[in-house]
Amino acid sequence: AQKVTQAQTEISVVEKEDVTLDCVYETRDTTYYLFWYKQPPSGELVFLIRRNSFDEQNEISGRYSWNFQKSTSSFNFTITASQVVDSAVYFCAIILTGSARQLTFGSGTQLTVLP
Amino acid sequence: DSGVTQTPKHLITATGQRVTLRCSPRSGDLSVYWYQQSLDQGLQFLIQYYNGEERAKGNILERFSAQQFPDLHSELNLSSLELGDSALYFCASSVGAGTNSPLHFGNGTRLTVT
């Protein structure tokens, strides 16, 4: 069965600092998708990114960037020049292709950005 | 706004009662998923429906059931409620049943069992 580990339970940074959220996954499958979701204090789950296991290109979207390394089974998420509005719980998740669509989530990282 | 609508936003009920949570997927999405988020278990997959048919089952208790109607909205029924059922219940939807599109989540229904 697949598993996602987010070892950082809580991270606190000061505004404008860069911060990296770690995600390590386990699966025996060779094809899968990885996701990041954001859960702000209001509670909703916001989709941020999906990455196919065959696509190891890093991606940048504004202040957000993702580093996918299959060799280390990691899919880390970096926020550059953090802002108070980035304060949220961030979840990494995995889903296997060809299977019923069970998203397996990590336990989440609570990011607090202080002004 | 994800386009997935969940009602009600909050629900407070007593142990032993039964409640129904409702979800309307994004326009065009055929798959609906239910997830439970609790402090001790985190985010857990409960069940998936695709175009009215049950597609996959996760850690869903026998006291819980769901269905997807012809208009594609879905309901999650929770019965004989226990204190431990208090959680945030999310509905998500996607276009297909496979893995080629992301899940978009609703804002959740917060259930409190007293």
Side-chain angles (χ1 to χ4, degrees), chain B residues 8-15 17-21 81 83 85-87 109-114:
Chain B
K9 286 186 180 179
H10 301 277
L11 205 46
I12 302 175
T13 189
T15 54
Q17 295 299 304
R18 172 190 168 96
V19 297
T20 297
L21 312 184
L81 285 167
L83 295 178
D85 298 327
S86 296
T109 292
R110 184 167 295 282
L111 173 66
T112 303
V113 182
T114 61

Side-chain angles (χ1 to χ4, degrees), chain A residues 56-72:
Chain A
E56 287 195 68
Q57 262 193 331
N58 291 330
E59 180 157 342
I60 298 175
S61 175
R63 296 184 297 106
Y64 295 171
S65 62
W66 290 270
N67 183 349
F68 176 32
Q69 292 196 344
K70 217 166 174 178
S71 60
T72 56

Side-chain angles (χ1 to χ4, degrees), chain A residues 33 35 37 39 42-47 50 91 95-107, chain B residues 33 35 37 43 45 48 55-58 88 90 94 96-107:
Chain A
Y33 283 89
F35 298 78
Y37 282 86
Q39 187 174 36
S42 48
E44 70 272 26
L45 277 169
V46 179
F47 166 74
R50 178 191 61 170
F91 291 95
I95 192 167
L96 307 181
T97 58
S99 71
R101 298 206 63 190
Q102 277 198 51
L103 256 180
T104 298
F105 285 88
S107 54
Chain B
Y33 314 77
Y35 282 79
Q37 185 179 30
L43 272 158
F45 168 72
Q48 176 200 1
R55 192 69 180 233
K57 234 173 183 176
L88 188 53
F90 283 105
S94 68
T99 51
N100 57 351
S101 58
L103 273 65
H104 293 274
F105 286 79
N107 289 346

Side-chain angles (χ1 to χ4, degrees), chain A residues 76-114:
Chain A
N76 296 337
F77 173 31
T78 297
I79 301 175
T80 303
S82 59
Q83 299 176 2
V84 173
V85 293
D86 295 327
S87 296
V89 181
Y90 291 85
F91 291 95
C92 181
I94 187 172
I95 192 167
L96 307 181
T97 58
S99 71
R101 298 206 63 190
Q102 277 198 51
L103 256 180
T104 298
F105 285 88
S107 54
T109 297
Q110 168 72 61
L111 172 66
T112 302
V113 182
L114 302 168

